[in-house]
Amino acid sequence: MDITDFYDTFFEEAEELLADMERYLLELDVDEPDSEQLNAIFRAAHSIKGGAGTFGFDALQKTTHLFENLLDHTRKGELRLRRDIVDTFLETKDMLSDQLDAYRNGDEPDQEAFERICQTLQRLALEEIGQDLESGAPVASTPQPVAKSEPEPEALVEQGAASGSDLRVVALLNVGEKDRQLLVEELGQLGEVIAQEGDEACYEVTLSSSVSNDDIEAVMCFIIDTDQIKIRGADTGGAPQVAAPTAVPEVEEPQAAPAQAPVQAAVEPDPSASSAASVKTDSAKPDSGKPAKAKAKAKGGGESTSIRVSVDKVDQIINLVGELIITQSMLDQTVSEMDNVANSALQNGMSLLQRNARDLQESVMSIRMIPMDFVFSRFPRVVRETAAKLGKEIELVTEGESTELDKSLTERIIDPLTHLVRNSLDHGIEPPDVRQTAGKPRTGKLVLSAKHQGGNIIIEVIDDGAGLNRDRLLAKARENGLPVSDAMSDDEVWQLIFAPGFSTAKEVTDVSGRGVGMDVVKRNIQGMGGHVQIMSRPGEGTTIRIVLPLTLAILDGMSIKVGNEMFILPLSAVLESLQPSREDLYAMAGDDVVLKVRDEYLPVVAVHEALDVPKAKTELTETIAVIVQGEGRRYALLVDDLVGQQQVVVKNLETNYRKVPGVSAATILGDGSVALILDITGLHRLSREKKEKRRPERKPALEALTDKELET
């Protein structure tokens, strides 16, 4: 068996464990840390260490081993947490991520960085607990007295145990040699293995350790089923007892011996057990131990019903479903031209096929949908570190984490959203003293929210800061040479922050101020078929709204006809359609035309002019005006006919052909022909560019006047 076949599974699970570790570290209350969170962080490090050792990733194993030992002291209360210690733990997590990426790419981790993080952890252990982490030996503590009548294995009495350690016997029942060796090795990490003997039916390990019985269970549950672990002794509270073997006779405990009764555990390997699903409460909370264990079982049971599938395989299925829908459309169009009476059975069959194809498409598409928590979980760390650099106090609130978005979009939205969050922290939320002077709480509030709206997902970055300053933005725009005027609406002024090189920062910092990034944010979001809106009120805060389609693979569209050409409009962008009348059309400067719709004047975009479509209707009153919305603005598109609504499979035109202005993608219709999917904003921009080119060059009027005429 080639062990490298399991690399991908380990990398994925380790990445998930590191994400959980970071989340728990950020949630920790340094004054009163939650023991369950500390245990979860410890188990994550322990699981990664075990996998790294199995696959021979030495640097990763060594780092997690040191980190695990330090976490063990922390959860026992021997290392008192502070903010700088949590920062060191987060730095260690980052180093583990870097090492994991290096091994994933077939490289060796940075040796200098590896040595540096090891020295950091060792120094922290020496300064805080006065102990070296390499040995893994527990800190000495005062042993608790026990009743004289408790039995003790003779071997333990003879060899003794480390000060502060409890002596116990762990019985491994029905465990094969390979798993038995692994279990013994893991138990050795928790203390000193003094003796071991037996066979597969019952193999007994004599252990000297100060860890609790719950910790022993926690270690074993990574390999075997926790339901088959039975322990008695130091802190089991009357758990079922297993008789000690005859090879280790029981003797009466001497008066001076501090050791407690032997602990025996019956275990059995379970290949379906998941290490990531093991959750256990600290032994200091006996009331909550059983509920936590039940919760862990429920989680493990849920994971056993799921599988890991490569994204490439899912994409291949989606492409095949898309081709199926195209084929179904072709058949549907052919059947529609037949006699309905003579072919009623065929018509019914096609209707059933259409419904099944749509259900299949929706089911397959749901596989690619993942919750926004995948995105939002990255930002507590970003907010924490950025706020620390800026000297600000920030409270992060996330809403709608369960809202689902296409996986490809979630990966592409992370960078733009990160820039928007950092921008809000730097430019939006004021320093604590300024907020207090303005009558606000010293702690600023940043909200990340996600929700569905129609066929789109709305992602908002909301802060309660000072808001945007209209006059300051206009002044900066004029300074940069941008064409602005005082008559611009607030929405148009707010959009100025997305201009290339635009920044209102007074000085450049490592957070912002260079005027790069916001234009890239807008461009990337437009590349995903979305747009950005900004709402701001001075002194109250700013809301930046990102509107994205739920998926880029399949689209609900409206078919329109211009001349002899068929085009597709995204249905989510279509608001209404109407027949324009002469009295509602107004000519503007040059050859621009606007359409009045309920006291709102909308720019008119003739599709046939923008895309040079021949044989189209040119009389405005004979066309149909489709009111659409793009990037927060509304336009009136003039088309010849509305054909109908249909679901289309989106094909990337730029990949298969080239970038076409005014067109976002293409699709294949039922008759096999190709139809272009229109880009609303790009179409308006293209229309304006063509109008500018058609206008004749005009000389300034003053140049043709004589001096006498000028005086007049």
Side-chain angles (χ1 to χ4, degrees):
M1 181 180 64
D2 187 2
I3 198 172
T4 60
D5 294 340
F6 301 96
Y7 277 8
D8 289 340
T9 301
F10 168 71
F11 291 141
E12 290 177 7
E13 291 185 349
E15 190 173 347
E16 292 175 0
L17 289 170
L18 288 174
D20 291 340
M21 181 188 295
E22 180 178 278
R23 176 166 57 87
Y24 287 129
L25 285 171
L26 292 172
E27 293 174 355
L28 273 179
D29 182 352
V30 293
D31 296 324
E32 297 181 2
D34 188 343
S35 60
E36 292 187 24
Q37 291 179 332
L38 291 175
N39 286 335
I41 298 169
F42 171 82
R43 283 191 292 269
H46 184 83
S47 297
I48 296 173
K49 184 194 75 172
T54 301
F55 294 113
F57 300 149
D58 296 336
L60 184 61
Q61 182 189 26
K62 175 69 177 298
T63 307
T64 48
H65 174 65
L66 297 179
F67 190 30
E68 175 192 27
N69 288 342
L70 200 58
L71 290 169
D72 192 32
H73 291 298
T74 304
R75 66 187 186 138
K76 292 177 182 177
E78 297 163 357
L79 172 61
R80 189 170 183 83
L81 285 177
R82 298 191 306 269
R83 182 181 177 88
D84 61 308
I85 294 179
V86 174
D87 289 340
T88 301
F89 288 174
L90 288 169
E91 180 185 353
T92 306
K93 177 264 166 189
D94 291 339
M95 186 60 63
L96 295 176
S97 297
D98 293 341
Q99 292 175 349
L100 194 67
D101 290 339
Y103 286 121
R104 189 198 301 267
N105 296 326
D107 302 325
E108 283 295 321
D110 186 346
Q111 184 65 23
E112 182 179 349
F114 164 64
E115 293 175 356
R116 184 174 64 252
I117 196 63
C118 290
Q119 293 172 0
T120 301
L121 295 177
Q122 289 279 23
R123 184 169 60 252
L124 178 61
L126 291 173
E127 293 175 354
E128 299 297 328
I129 58 178
Q131 181 175 330
D132 184 84
L133 292 177
E134 291 286 354
S135 62
V139 177
S141 60
T142 304
Q144 298 296 324
V146 296
K148 182 178 179 180
S149 59
E150 287 288 340
E152 175 185 295
E154 182 178 5
L156 301 186
V157 177
E158 293 176 356
Q159 297 196 28
S163 176
S165 297
D166 297 320
L167 304 178
R168 61 203 72 193
V169 173
V170 180
L172 311 179
L173 306 180
N174 301 321
V175 177
E177 181 179 357
K178 184 176 180 181
D179 290 330
R180 189 168 66 231
Q181 292 176 354
L182 181 58
L183 282 168
V184 172
E185 179 182 345
E186 292 296 335
L187 289 171
Q189 298 290 338
L190 301 178
E192 180 183 358
V193 176
I194 297 177
Q196 48 182 310
E197 60 181 329
D199 52 22
E200 290 189 3
C202 181
Y203 193 84
E204 296 180 347
V205 181
T206 303
L207 181 69
S208 171
S209 175
S210 63
V211 301
S212 66
N213 293 340
D214 281 347
D215 289 338
I216 294 179
E217 282 192 15
V219 170
M220 291 183 176
C221 74
F222 293 117
I223 306 169
I224 45 81
D225 188 353
T226 55
D227 290 342
Q228 298 173 337
I229 298 177
K230 301 175 183 177
I231 296 180
R232 74 173 177 88
D235 56 356
T236 57
Q241 299 185 9
V242 181
T246 56
V248 187
E250 296 182 359
V251 297
E252 183 177 353
E253 182 181 354
Q255 182 68 26
Q260 296 186 5
V263 178
Q264 302 181 356
V267 297
E268 182 175 330
D270 183 359
S272 66
S274 172
S275 61
S278 302
V279 180
K280 195 137 188 93
T281 59
D282 191 86
S283 59
K285 293 186 177 182
D287 293 339
S288 59
K290 291 185 178 179
K293 189 171 181 178
K295 184 176 180 181
K297 286 178 61 180
K299 183 175 179 182
E303 288 191 354
S304 65
T305 62
S306 64
I307 59 174
R308 293 182 182 271
V309 180
S310 169
V311 176
D312 294 336
K313 292 183 178 180
V314 177
D315 289 341
Q316 184 179 5
I317 295 175
I318 291 177
N319 289 333
L320 291 174
V321 171
E323 296 299 326
L324 176 63
I325 291 177
I326 293 173
T327 304
Q328 177 262 321
S329 299
M330 292 180 178
L331 292 174
D332 190 49
Q333 182 166 336
T334 302
V335 172
S336 65
E337 298 172 357
M338 297 180 178
D339 184 5
N340 293 340
V341 178
N343 300 281
S344 59
L346 183 59
Q347 292 278 3
N348 294 334
M350 284 305 305
S351 298
L352 181 60
L353 175 61
Q354 183 178 10
R355 289 196 300 271
N356 291 340
R358 188 177 184 91
D359 291 342
L360 175 62
Q361 171 261 316
E362 291 177 352
S363 298
V364 173
M365 288 303 302
S366 66
I367 298 176
R368 280 185 61 96
M369 307 297 282
I370 61 177
M372 282 297 296
D373 184 56
F374 174 82
V375 177
F376 288 170
S377 62
R378 301 168 183 258
F379 288 101
R381 180 78 178 275
V382 174
V383 171
R384 173 192 174 96
E385 295 180 348
T386 306
K389 289 180 181 179
L390 298 172
K392 297 181 179 180
E393 301 173 8
I394 308 295
E395 176 192 4
L396 175 64
V397 178
T398 57
E399 300 172 351
E401 297 94 332
S402 60
T403 305
E404 292 186 332
L405 182 65
D406 190 288
K407 177 176 174 59
S408 62
L409 292 179
T410 57
E411 294 172 345
R412 293 169 60 182
I413 196 61
I414 289 174
D415 287 342
L417 202 56
T418 300
H419 196 92
L420 292 177
V421 167
R422 290 165 64 91
N423 190 74
S424 293
L425 295 177
D426 190 14
H427 299 297
I429 299 178
E430 314 95 323
D433 294 340
V434 176
R435 292 179 60 87
Q436 192 171 21
T437 303
K440 293 183 177 181
R442 290 180 60 86
T443 302
K445 187 175 182 180
L446 182 70
V447 179
L448 291 177
S449 71
K451 61 183 177 181
H452 287 153
Q453 189 177 88
N456 296 322
I457 184 172
I458 310 296
I459 304 173
E460 292 183 334
V461 181
I462 308 170
D463 67 67
D464 64 347
L468 296 176
N469 188 311
R470 176 187 173 94
D471 295 335
R472 188 178 177 188
L473 289 174
L474 287 174
K476 188 66 177 181
R478 292 190 180 98
E479 181 182 327
N480 290 359
L482 298 176
V484 296
S485 68
D486 293 332
M488 294 174 62
S489 65
D490 286 345
D491 291 339
E492 293 173 325
V493 174
W494 306 152
Q495 289 290 326
L496 290 173
I497 67 174
F498 294 111
F502 191 92
S503 176
T504 58
K506 296 180 180 179
E507 60 182 17
V508 176
T509 67
D510 57 351
V511 176
S512 62
R514 295 175 176 81
V516 296
M518 293 299 283
D519 58 324
V520 179
V521 167
K522 185 175 182 179
R523 189 162 60 249
N524 287 347
I525 292 174
Q526 288 176 346
M528 291 183 280
H531 63 272
V532 188
Q533 302 173 1
I534 301 178
M535 290 78 72
S536 182
R537 299 186 65 178
E540 297 184 13
T542 302
T543 298
I544 301 179
R545 176 179 296 168
I546 302 173
V547 183
L548 291 174
L550 290 179
T551 179
L552 299 180
I554 295 180
L555 175 76
D556 284 324
M558 174 178 285
S559 304
I560 60 173
K561 195 169 186 180
V562 180
N564 295 326
E565 299 293 333
M566 192 78 73
F567 298 98
I568 303 294
L569 287 174
L571 195 61
S572 59
V574 177
L575 303 178
E576 61 178 314
S577 60
L578 51 88
Q579 186 88 34
S581 59
R582 180 68 61 184
E583 57 270 18
D584 292 331
L585 294 167
Y586 296 88
M588 303 295 290
D591 53 357
D592 288 338
V593 178
V594 295
L595 175 65
K596 182 180 179 182
V597 180
R598 290 186 291 276
D599 297 329
E600 183 180 5
Y601 294 90
L602 307 178
V604 172
V605 179
V607 178
H608 73 278
E609 290 182 357
L611 299 178
D612 296 326
V613 180
K615 300 179 182 180
K617 295 178 182 178
T618 56
E619 180 60 39
L620 299 184
T621 56
E622 296 179 0
T623 61
I624 296 176
V626 183
I627 311 303
V628 294
Q629 183 169 351
E631 292 189 12
R633 298 187 61 185
R634 297 185 179 187
Y635 308 95
L637 298 186
L638 299 184
V639 302
D640 292 0
D641 295 298
L642 301 179
V643 179
Q645 176 183 340
Q646 65 182 111
Q647 193 175 60
V648 297
V649 179
V650 179
K651 301 292 184 181
N652 192 311
L653 189 63
E654 189 172 355
T655 302
N656 297 289
Y657 176 53
R658 63 179 175 83
K659 178 67 176 177
V660 179
V663 175
S664 61
T667 188
I668 301 175
L669 299 178
D671 59 0
S673 62
V674 175
L676 301 178
I677 301 174
L678 299 181
D679 174 15
I680 306 300
T681 308
L683 196 64
H684 175 249
R685 189 180 303 114
L686 180 63
S687 176
R688 291 186 61 87
E689 291 175 356
K690 292 199 171 185
K691 287 180 180 179
E692 290 292 337
K693 290 181 180 180
R694 285 197 299 266
R695 292 172 184 169
E697 294 185 2
R698 301 183 179 90
K699 293 183 178 181
L702 295 179
E703 292 182 6
L705 298 178
T706 63
D707 293 341
K708 186 176 181 179
E709 290 172 330
L710 285 173
E711 292 176 1
T712 305

Coordinates of all heavy atoms in Angstrom, one line a residue, residues 99-146:
Q99 N 4.1 25.0 7.5 CA 4.8 23.7 7.4 C 3.9 22.8 6.6 O 4.3 22.0 5.8 CB 5.1 23.2 8.8 CG 6.2 23.9 9.5 CD 6.4 23.4 10.9 OE1 5.6 22.6 11.4 NE2 7.4 23.9 11.6
L100 N 2.6 22.8 6.9 CA 1.6 22.0 6.2 C 1.6 22.3 4.7 O 1.6 21.4 3.8 CB 0.2 22.2 6.8 CG -0.8 21.1 6.4 CD1 -0.5 19.8 7.0 CD2 -2.2 21.5 6.9
D101 N 1.6 23.6 4.3 CA 1.7 23.9 2.9 C 2.9 23.5 2.2 O 2.9 23.1 1.1 CB 1.5 25.5 2.8 CG 0.1 26.0 3.2 OD1 -0.8 25.2 3.1 OD2 0.0 27.2 3.5
A102 N 4.0 23.5 3.0 CA 5.3 23.1 2.4 C 5.3 21.6 2.1 O 5.6 21.2 1.0 CB 6.5 23.4 3.4
Y103 N 4.8 20.8 3.0 CA 4.7 19.4 2.8 C 3.7 19.1 1.6 O 3.9 18.2 0.9 CB 4.3 18.6 4.0 CG 5.4 18.5 5.0 CD1 5.3 19.1 6.3 CD2 6.6 17.9 4.7 CE1 6.3 19.0 7.2 CE2 7.7 17.8 5.6 CZ 7.5 18.3 6.9 OH 8.5 18.2 7.8
R104 N 2.6 19.9 1.6 CA 1.6 19.7 0.5 C 2.2 19.9 -0.8 O 1.9 19.2 -1.8 CB 0.4 20.6 0.8 CG -0.8 20.3 -0.1 CD -1.7 21.5 -0.2 NE -2.2 21.9 1.1 CZ -3.4 21.5 1.6 NH1 -4.1 20.7 0.9 NH2 -3.8 21.9 2.8
N105 N 3.1 20.8 -0.9 CA 3.8 21.2 -2.2 C 5.0 20.3 -2.5 O 5.7 20.6 -3.4 CB 4.2 22.7 -2.2 CG 2.9 23.6 -2.2 OD1 1.9 23.2 -2.7 ND2 3.1 24.7 -1.5
G106 N 5.3 19.4 -1.6 CA 6.4 18.5 -1.8 C 7.8 19.1 -1.4 O 8.8 18.6 -1.8
D107 N 7.7 20.2 -0.6 CA 9.0 20.8 -0.2 C 9.2 20.6 1.3 O 8.3 20.1 2.0 CB 8.9 22.3 -0.4 CG 8.6 22.7 -1.9 OD1 9.2 21.9 -2.7 OD2 7.9 23.6 -2.2
E108 N 10.4 21.0 1.8 CA 10.7 20.9 3.2 C 10.4 22.3 3.8 O 10.7 23.3 3.2 CB 12.2 20.5 3.4 CG 12.5 19.1 3.2 CD 11.8 18.2 4.3 OE1 11.7 18.6 5.4 OE2 11.3 17.1 3.9
P109 N 9.8 22.3 5.0 CA 9.6 23.6 5.7 C 10.8 24.4 5.9 O 11.9 23.9 5.9 CB 8.9 23.2 7.0 CG 8.4 21.8 6.8 CD 9.4 21.2 5.8
D110 N 10.7 25.7 6.1 CA 11.8 26.6 6.3 C 12.4 26.2 7.6 O 11.8 26.3 8.7 CB 11.2 28.0 6.4 CG 12.4 29.1 6.5 OD1 13.5 28.7 6.8 OD2 12.1 30.3 6.3
Q111 N 13.7 25.8 7.5 CA 14.4 25.3 8.7 C 14.6 26.4 9.7 O 14.5 26.2 11.0 CB 15.8 24.7 8.3 CG 16.5 24.1 9.5 CD 15.8 22.9 10.1 OE1 15.0 22.2 9.4 NE2 16.1 22.5 11.3
E112 N 14.9 27.6 9.3 CA 15.2 28.8 10.2 C 13.9 29.1 10.9 O 13.9 29.3 12.2 CB 15.7 30.0 9.4 CG 16.0 31.2 10.2 CD 16.5 32.3 9.4 OE1 16.8 32.2 8.2 OE2 16.6 33.5 10.0
A113 N 12.8 29.1 10.2 CA 11.5 29.4 10.9 C 11.1 28.3 11.9 O 10.6 28.6 13.0 CB 10.4 29.6 9.9
F114 N 11.4 27.1 11.5 CA 11.1 25.9 12.4 C 11.9 26.1 13.7 O 11.4 25.9 14.8 CB 11.5 24.6 11.6 CG 11.6 23.4 12.5 CD1 10.5 23.0 13.2 CD2 12.8 22.8 12.7 CE1 10.6 21.9 14.1 CE2 12.9 21.7 13.5 CZ 11.8 21.2 14.2
E115 N 13.2 26.4 13.6 CA 14.1 26.5 14.8 C 13.6 27.7 15.6 O 13.6 27.6 16.8 CB 15.5 26.7 14.4 CG 16.1 25.4 13.7 CD 17.5 25.6 13.2 OE1 18.0 26.8 13.3 OE2 18.1 24.7 12.7
R116 N 13.2 28.8 15.0 CA 12.8 29.9 15.7 C 11.5 29.7 16.5 O 11.4 30.1 17.7 CB 12.5 31.1 14.7 CG 12.2 32.4 15.4 CD 12.1 33.6 14.5 NE 11.0 33.4 13.5 CZ 11.2 33.1 12.2 NH1 12.4 33.0 11.7 NH2 10.2 33.0 11.4
I117 N 10.5 29.0 15.9 CA 9.3 28.7 16.7 C 9.5 27.7 17.8 O 8.9 27.8 18.9 CB 8.2 28.2 15.7 CG1 6.8 28.4 16.4 CG2 8.4 26.8 15.3 CD1 6.4 29.8 16.8
C118 N 10.4 26.8 17.6 CA 10.8 25.8 18.7 C 11.4 26.6 19.8 O 11.1 26.3 21.0 CB 11.7 24.7 18.1 SG 10.9 23.6 17.0
Q119 N 12.3 27.5 19.5 CA 13.0 28.2 20.6 C 12.0 29.1 21.3 O 12.1 29.3 22.5 CB 14.1 29.1 20.0 CG 15.3 28.3 19.4 CD 16.3 29.1 18.7 OE1 16.1 30.4 18.5 NE2 17.3 28.5 18.2
T120 N 11.0 29.7 20.6 CA 10.0 30.5 21.2 C 9.2 29.7 22.2 O 8.9 30.2 23.3 CB 9.1 31.1 20.1 OG1 9.9 31.9 19.2 CG2 8.0 32.0 20.8
L121 N 8.8 28.5 21.8 CA 8.0 27.7 22.7 C 8.8 27.2 23.9 O 8.3 27.2 25.0 CB 7.4 26.5 21.9 CG 6.4 26.8 20.8 CD1 6.0 25.5 20.0 CD2 5.2 27.5 21.3
Q122 N 10.0 26.9 23.7 CA 10.9 26.4 24.8 C 11.1 27.6 25.8 O 11.0 27.4 27.0 CB 12.2 25.9 24.2 CG 12.1 24.6 23.5 CD 12.1 23.4 24.4 OE1 11.7 23.5 25.6 NE2 12.4 22.2 24.0
R123 N 11.4 28.8 25.2 CA 11.6 29.9 26.1 C 10.4 30.2 26.9 O 10.4 30.6 28.1 CB 12.0 31.1 25.3 CG 12.4 32.3 26.1 CD 13.0 33.4 25.3 NE 12.2 33.9 24.2 CZ 12.4 33.6 22.9 NH1 13.4 32.8 22.5 NH2 11.5 34.0 22.0
L124 N 9.2 30.1 26.3 CA 7.9 30.4 27.0 C 7.7 29.4 28.1 O 7.3 29.8 29.2 CB 6.8 30.4 26.0 CG 5.4 30.6 26.6 CD1 5.3 32.0 27.2 CD2 4.3 30.4 25.5
A125 N 8.0 28.1 27.9 CA 7.9 27.1 28.9 C 8.8 27.4 30.1 O 8.5 27.2 31.2 CB 8.1 25.7 28.3
L126 N 10.1 27.7 29.7 CA 11.1 28.0 30.8 C 10.7 29.2 31.6 O 10.9 29.2 32.9 CB 12.4 28.1 30.2 CG 13.1 26.9 29.6 CD1 14.4 27.2 28.8 CD2 13.3 25.8 30.6
E127 N 10.2 30.2 31.0 CA 9.9 31.5 31.7 C 8.6 31.3 32.5 O 8.6 31.9 33.6 CB 9.7 32.6 30.7 CG 11.0 33.0 30.0 CD 10.8 34.1 28.9 OE1 9.6 34.4 28.7 OE2 11.8 34.6 28.4
E128 N 7.7 30.6 32.0 CA 6.4 30.6 32.7 C 6.2 29.4 33.7 O 5.6 29.6 34.7 CB 5.2 30.5 31.7 CG 5.2 31.7 30.7 CD 4.9 33.0 31.5 OE1 4.2 33.0 32.5 OE2 5.5 34.1 31.0
I129 N 6.8 28.3 33.3 CA 6.6 27.1 34.2 C 7.9 26.5 34.7 O 7.9 25.5 35.4 CB 5.7 26.0 33.5 CG1 6.3 25.6 32.2 CG2 4.3 26.5 33.3 CD1 5.5 24.5 31.5
G130 N 9.0 27.0 34.2 CA 10.3 26.5 34.6 C 10.6 25.1 34.2 O 11.1 24.3 35.0
Q131 N 10.2 24.7 33.0 CA 10.3 23.3 32.6 C 10.7 23.3 31.1 O 10.2 24.1 30.3 CB 9.0 22.5 32.9 CG 9.1 21.1 32.5 CD 7.9 20.3 32.9 OE1 7.3 20.7 33.9 NE2 7.5 19.3 32.2
D132 N 11.5 22.3 30.8 CA 11.8 22.0 29.4 C 10.7 21.2 28.7 O 10.2 20.2 29.3 CB 13.1 21.3 29.3 CG 13.6 21.1 27.8 OD1 14.2 22.0 27.3 OD2 13.3 20.0 27.3
L133 N 10.4 21.5 27.5 CA 9.3 20.8 26.8 C 9.7 19.6 26.1 O 8.8 18.7 25.8 CB 8.6 21.8 25.7 CG 7.9 23.0 26.2 CD1 7.4 23.8 25.1 CD2 6.7 22.6 27.1
E134 N 11.0 19.4 25.9 CA 11.4 18.2 25.2 C 11.1 16.9 25.9 O 10.6 15.9 25.3 CB 13.0 18.3 25.0 CG 13.4 19.3 24.0 CD 13.1 19.0 22.6 OE1 12.6 17.8 22.3 OE2 13.3 19.8 21.7
S135 N 11.3 16.9 27.2 CA 11.0 15.7 28.0 C 9.6 15.3 28.1 O 9.2 14.2 28.2 CB 11.6 15.8 29.4 OG 11.0 16.9 30.1
G136 N 8.7 16.4 28.1 CA 7.3 16.1 28.3 C 6.9 15.7 29.6 O 5.7 15.3 29.9
A137 N 7.8 15.7 30.6 CA 7.5 15.3 32.0 C 6.6 16.3 32.6 O 6.7 17.5 32.5 CB 8.8 15.2 32.8
P138 N 5.6 15.8 33.4 CA 4.6 16.7 34.0 C 5.3 17.5 35.2 O 6.3 17.1 35.8 CB 3.5 15.8 34.5 CG 4.2 14.5 34.7 CD 5.3 14.4 33.7
V139 N 4.7 18.7 35.5 CA 5.2 19.5 36.6 C 4.8 18.8 37.9 O 3.7 18.3 38.1 CB 4.6 20.9 36.6 CG1 5.0 21.7 37.8 CG2 5.0 21.6 35.3
A140 N 5.8 18.7 38.8 CA 5.6 18.1 40.1 C 4.5 18.8 40.9 O 4.4 20.0 40.9 CB 6.8 18.0 40.9
S141 N 3.6 18.0 41.5 CA 2.5 18.6 42.3 C 2.4 17.7 43.6 O 2.8 16.6 43.6 CB 1.2 18.7 41.5 OG 0.8 17.4 41.1
T142 N 1.7 18.2 44.6 CA 1.5 17.5 45.8 C 0.5 16.4 45.6 O -0.6 16.6 45.2 CB 1.0 18.4 46.9 OG1 1.9 19.5 47.0 CG2 0.8 17.7 48.2
P143 N 0.9 15.1 45.9 CA 0.0 14.0 45.7 C -1.2 14.1 46.7 O -1.0 14.5 47.8 CB 0.9 12.8 45.9 CG 2.0 13.3 46.7 CD 2.2 14.7 46.4
Q144 N -2.3 13.6 46.3 CA -3.5 13.5 47.1 C -3.5 12.2 47.9 O -3.2 11.2 47.4 CB -4.7 13.6 46.3 CG -4.9 14.9 45.5 CD -5.0 16.1 46.5 OE1 -5.6 16.1 47.5 NE2 -4.3 17.2 46.1
P145 N -3.7 12.3 49.2 CA -3.8 11.0 50.0 C -5.0 10.2 49.6 O -6.0 10.7 49.2 CB -3.9 11.5 51.5 CG -4.6 12.9 51.3 CD -4.0 13.5 50.1
V146 N -4.8 8.9 49.8 CA -5.9 7.9 49.4 C -6.1 7.0 50.6 O -5.3 6.9 51.5 CB -5.5 7.1 48.2 CG1 -5.4 8.0 47.0 CG2 -4.2 6.4 48.4

